[in-house]
Amino acid sequence: MFKIPQIKAKLVVVEIFSFYCPYCQKDAPKVNALYELIENNPELKNKIKLIGLGAGNSPFESRDV
C-alpha cells in the first residue's frame, strides 16, 4: 500500500476503469500506448506516472494483462 504523494514524479495520472465498462474497454489500448510512450522516453519516464484502478472488479478482472 502507498499514498499518491509518495510517488516520485512531477505528474501522477489516475485512471479509473471497470472491466464491464465499454468506454473503459475502448479507451484501454490508448492508455496502454500512452504508458509505453512515457516509459520509452527517458525524459518522461521518471516524471510522469500512470495508475489504473479497477473499480468494482475482482482481483482476476483487475490483473495486469
Side-chain angles (χ1 to χ4, degrees), residues 6 12-13 33 44 54 56:
Q6 293 174 303
V12 177
V13 178
L44 299 177

Side-chain angles (χ1 to χ4, degrees), residues 25-42:
Q25 291 175 8
K26 183 179 176 185
D27 202 35
K30 296 173 192 165
V31 175
N32 287 338
L34 175 61
Y35 172 80
E36 290 298 326
L37 286 171
I38 293 167
E39 288 297 303
N40 291 320
N41 184 327

Side-chain angles (χ1 to χ4, degrees), residues 5-64:
Q6 293 174 303
I7 299 171
K8 299 191 184 318
K10 290 189 176 201
L11 176 66
V12 177
V13 178
V14 179
E15 181 93 26
I16 300 172
F17 289 97
S18 175
F19 185 79
Y20 299 102
C21 169
Y23 302 104
C24 299
Q25 291 175 8
K26 183 179 176 185
D27 202 35
K30 296 173 192 165
V31 175
N32 287 338
L34 175 61
Y35 172 80
E36 290 298 326
L37 286 171
I38 293 167
E39 288 297 303
N40 291 320
N41 184 327
E43 293 182 25
L44 299 177
K45 183 175 182 175
N46 294 316
K47 294 180 182 168
I48 302 173
K49 295 296 179 183
L50 302 178
I51 297 176
L53 301 176
N57 300 133
S58 71
F60 175 78
E61 295 164 337
S62 297
R63 75 187 187 287
D64 187 12

